[in-house]
Amino acid sequence: MNVRNIVLDKYSAKVYKNRKEHIMELTEETKDQPIAANSRTVPGIITNRGCCYAGCKGVVLGPLKDVLVLTHGPIGCGYYSWGTRRNKAKTEDGRNFIEYCFSTDLQEPDIVFGGEKKLRQAIKEAVEIFQPKCLMICSTCPVGLIGDDIHAVAAETEKLYGITCMAFSCEGYKGVSQSGGHHIANNTLMKKIIGTNDTPPKNKYSVNLLGEYNIGGDGWEVERIMKRIGYDVISVFTGDGSFEAIQNSHMANLNLVQCHRSINYIAEMMKTKYGVDWIKVNFIGIKSTIQSLRDMAAYFGDKELAERTEEVIDDELANIADEKEYYYSKLKGKTAALYVGGSRSHHYQLLLADFGVSTVLAGYEFAHRDDYEGREVIPTIREDADSKNIEHLNVAKDEKKYHAYLTDEQYELLKTKIPLEDYTGMIRHMENGSIVVDDLNQFETDEFLKLLKPDIFFSGIKDKYSLQKSGVLARQLHSYDYSGPYAGFRGSVNFARDITMGLYTPAWGFVTPPWKNRSTLRASLAGGEK
């Protein structure tokens, strides 16, 4: 049964032509074929993507605890990106702005006559009340349309109040998804913050953790493990992240990239400008965490560090051994589908495999081809008009602050052994017969549910409830449904516990969607098919 064709055949010819490039049923032959990604959704199709503003403010900047992020736009934009991703943070100096939703709350008169006056007043109030060290302005769609100069206002703010202030032109319509917002955020952090403080690290095993947003405490669990081994974690981008830590991040000797899509731009630019190498890591899953820790030890090439790494791994495994065995016995043989952003659709397949759960479908909301196929395809990716809307920041070597940890010879040798500045993508880790879908929509979700019948579906908040109404257990991986952490060794058994409880809850057997036993709305797809 070719599940892909069954779903695609229900489309009109025009939509079929577009969507067939975004869906793959994996075989030995198709694994080497390109997949369409990072292109606009077909108009009229219900997509679960977010906007450019959501990627900039909601994903990358929002978790910064001591930075006041001000949304310049209608209140709905700020509210949409506030308090939904459970980015946890610990207050260090009395400043923790994550609990607040800051917005200029533009109204109709502001759209007609301009909103810069209101923005200046909002900044004045924010500085007087909260006294932030750094203030960030994020613009939404109306601001880009009416032409408010937020960058000029940011420059005025720095002179007037003596604080760091930066503006992000991340209007929602830029790019094709939240991915564009990630890029915009990365560029401005690189231009305005990274490299502005030169405090030396505590030891040579100094690292930054990039693309970790501390959902449910994930970042804290990863830091706990790394500090047990002896690493100096200089900064985290950006879960529980701080302005001063990111200022000093260029002093690290190694960048660890967890979420490839949202942060690879900074990793590449820091390599060029400061000589900081990066490796792709994954702290989601037991085997994945072990491999990432060993890759880190291999990078620094120290025998004592490698021995300490193995000691910590053995101890962590011993602490979860009984729980791991129990949950494996309960979950073995189950099937799962995943449709999430970032690298989660890839990472969680490996965690599921640790407990005997196989993946029948996986896809990304906002990936590029390299997230699916690996970074070697980057030179072949054709840049379209939407991609050109996002500035590509070119950086140069900083002769004073450049500090490569490895020699050229060490670098070339190590590149053959660990994922040094490389990412092989999601597809290569998936089994033949599974489905890969880019920008999965609601119609396709319903059809794949009927055909693949996964035991559990991992997604986001937008589609979680429609899945549950179909009688399928659904868990969202954007905020963990108020649980976590799921990273590292302890996080793995937390995850298995939550999934076991969900799967063995009898409620799902009693769910009967109305469309299963009686006629509901009747409609036709584009092209006339009923």
Side-chain angles (χ1 to χ4, degrees), residues 1 16 25 84 99 124 241 264 288 329 344 369 439 454 528:
M1 176 179 69
Y16 177 96
E25 187 160 345
T84 57
E99 299 299 320
K124 179 177 182 294
N264 73 87
S288 300
S329 71
R344 295 179 188 272
R369 278 184 56 199
D439 191 19

Side-chain angles (χ1 to χ4, degrees), residues 120-175:
R120 291 186 178 93
Q121 179 61 29
I123 291 172
K124 179 177 182 294
E125 292 177 9
V127 172
E128 290 175 351
I129 296 171
F130 295 98
Q131 299 176 349
K133 300 176 184 176
C134 177
L135 192 148
M136 297 177 174
I137 305 165
C138 293
S139 60
T140 64
C141 293
V143 174
L145 295 173
I146 65 177
D148 280 357
D149 191 345
I150 61 172
H151 298 275
V153 174
E156 291 174 16
T157 299
E158 290 194 326
K159 293 179 181 178
L160 187 60
Y161 301 108
I163 64 172
T164 300
C165 184
M166 59 200 74
F168 299 79
S169 295
C170 55
E171 295 84 7
Y173 53 75
K174 283 189 175 179

Side-chain angles (χ1 to χ4, degrees), residues 471-482:
V472 178
L473 173 65
R475 287 288 183 270
Q476 59 158 323
L477 292 182
H478 291 153
S479 69
Y480 297 172
D481 286 314
Y482 309 101

Side-chain angles (χ1 to χ4, degrees), residues 325-495:
E325 182 179 356
Y326 171 75
Y327 290 125
Y328 182 86
S329 71
K330 303 294 286 184
L331 296 174
K332 183 181 180 181
K334 302 294 185 182
T335 59
L338 304 96
Y339 178 61
V340 205
S343 297
R344 295 179 188 272
S345 287
H346 181 188
H347 293 165
Y348 276 87
Q349 291 186 62
L350 306 179
L351 172 53
L352 288 164
D354 286 338
F355 292 95
V357 181
S358 58
T359 298
V360 294
L361 178 146
Y364 289 123
E365 290 180 13
F366 49 76
H368 298 199
R369 278 184 56 199
D370 46 309
D371 298 299
Y372 291 106
E373 303 173 57
R375 290 182 63 87
E376 67 268 23
V377 306
I378 290 178
T380 69
I381 296 176
R382 185 175 63 184
E383 190 176 47
D384 59 16
D386 290 310
S387 299
K388 292 177 182 178
N389 284 333
I390 312 301
E391 176 192 15
H392 181 78
L393 185 63
N394 292 310
V395 298
K397 180 179 179 180
D398 187 323
E399 296 293 347
K400 292 183 179 180
K401 298 183 179 182
Y402 192 90
H403 59 102
Y405 185 81
L406 301 176
T407 65
D408 292 341
E409 294 76 15
Q410 290 173 325
Y411 178 90
E412 292 302 326
L413 177 61
L414 201 56
K415 195 170 175 61
T416 64
K417 299 178 180 179
I418 65 173
L420 188 57
E421 293 172 29
D422 190 27
Y423 176 46
T424 58
M426 180 178 75
I427 288 176
R428 294 183 188 180
H429 290 98
M430 295 184 67
E431 298 292 331
N432 288 343
S434 55
I435 304 292
V436 179
V437 189
D438 177 70
D439 191 19
L440 181 71
N441 59 57
Q442 190 61 53
F443 164 72
E444 291 166 0
T445 300
D446 294 340
E447 293 300 305
F448 282 123
L449 276 180
K450 297 173 189 175
L451 295 166
L452 300 175
K453 296 180 173 58
D455 294 302
I456 184 169
F457 204 118
F458 297 96
S459 63
I461 191 63
K462 296 175 184 176
D463 46 337
K464 170 187 171 179
Y465 295 104
S466 65
L467 293 163
Q468 291 186 165
K469 289 175 183 177
S470 298
V472 178
L473 173 65
R475 287 288 183 270
Q476 59 158 323
L477 292 182
H478 291 153
S479 69
Y480 297 172
D481 286 314
Y482 309 101
S483 187
Y486 288 161
F489 300 96
R490 295 179 185 175
S492 296
V493 294
N494 288 343
F495 175 80

Side-chain angles (χ1 to χ4, degrees), residues 148-370:
D148 280 357
D149 191 345
I150 61 172
H151 298 275
V153 174
E156 291 174 16
T157 299
E158 290 194 326
K159 293 179 181 178
L160 187 60
Y161 301 108
I163 64 172
T164 300
C165 184
M166 59 200 74
F168 299 79
S169 295
C170 55
E171 295 84 7
Y173 53 75
K174 283 189 175 179
V176 302
S177 68
Q178 52 265 60
S179 175
H182 302 152
H183 201 161
I184 290 169
N186 279 217
N187 285 349
T188 305
L189 290 177
M190 191 70 195
K191 285 189 289 187
K192 297 282 288 184
I193 301 182
I194 296 169
T196 56
N197 191 356
D198 298 323
T199 303
K202 296 175 182 178
N203 62 53
K204 64 180 179 180
Y205 311 126
S206 54
V207 299
N208 297 314
L209 183 54
L210 275 59
E212 170 51 63
Y213 302 106
N214 204 32
I215 306 298
D218 274 355
W220 292 337
E221 183 61 14
V222 175
E223 284 189 80
R224 181 190 69 81
I225 296 169
M226 289 197 289
K227 288 176 180 178
R228 281 197 69 188
I229 296 172
Y231 291 103
D232 178 14
V233 182
I234 292 183
S235 68
V236 180
F237 285 72
T238 51
D240 195 29
S242 70
F243 171 63
E244 290 179 351
I246 290 179
Q247 282 184 303
N248 204 49
S249 58
H250 66 295
M251 299 297 290
N253 283 323
L254 179 64
N255 278 326
L256 310 173
V257 174
Q258 173 80 1
C259 176
H260 176 260
R261 183 70 271 137
S262 66
I263 213 80
N264 73 87
Y265 314 102
I266 279 179
E268 293 169 8
M269 289 187 286
M270 287 183 72
K271 166 65 175 176
T272 301
K273 188 170 184 178
Y274 301 112
V276 184
D277 293 325
W278 66 269
I279 61 172
K280 178 68 181 73
V281 295
N282 175 21
F283 294 108
I284 300 296
I286 298 170
K287 294 178 182 177
S288 300
T289 298
I290 292 172
Q291 187 60 55
S292 294
L293 293 174
R294 287 174 176 166
D295 288 343
M296 292 166 61
Y299 176 83
F300 286 103
D302 184 278
K303 182 180 178 181
E304 290 185 7
L305 182 69
E307 291 174 351
R308 179 61 180 160
T309 297
E310 295 303 324
E311 290 173 5
V312 171
I313 289 172
D314 290 342
D315 186 54
E316 294 284 340
L317 288 175
N319 290 334
I320 66 168
D322 292 342
E323 292 174 286
K324 179 180 181 295
E325 182 179 356
Y326 171 75
Y327 290 125
Y328 182 86
S329 71
K330 303 294 286 184
L331 296 174
K332 183 181 180 181
K334 302 294 185 182
T335 59
L338 304 96
Y339 178 61
V340 205
S343 297
R344 295 179 188 272
S345 287
H346 181 188
H347 293 165
Y348 276 87
Q349 291 186 62
L350 306 179
L351 172 53
L352 288 164
D354 286 338
F355 292 95
V357 181
S358 58
T359 298
V360 294
L361 178 146
Y364 289 123
E365 290 180 13
F366 49 76
H368 298 199
R369 278 184 56 199
D370 46 309

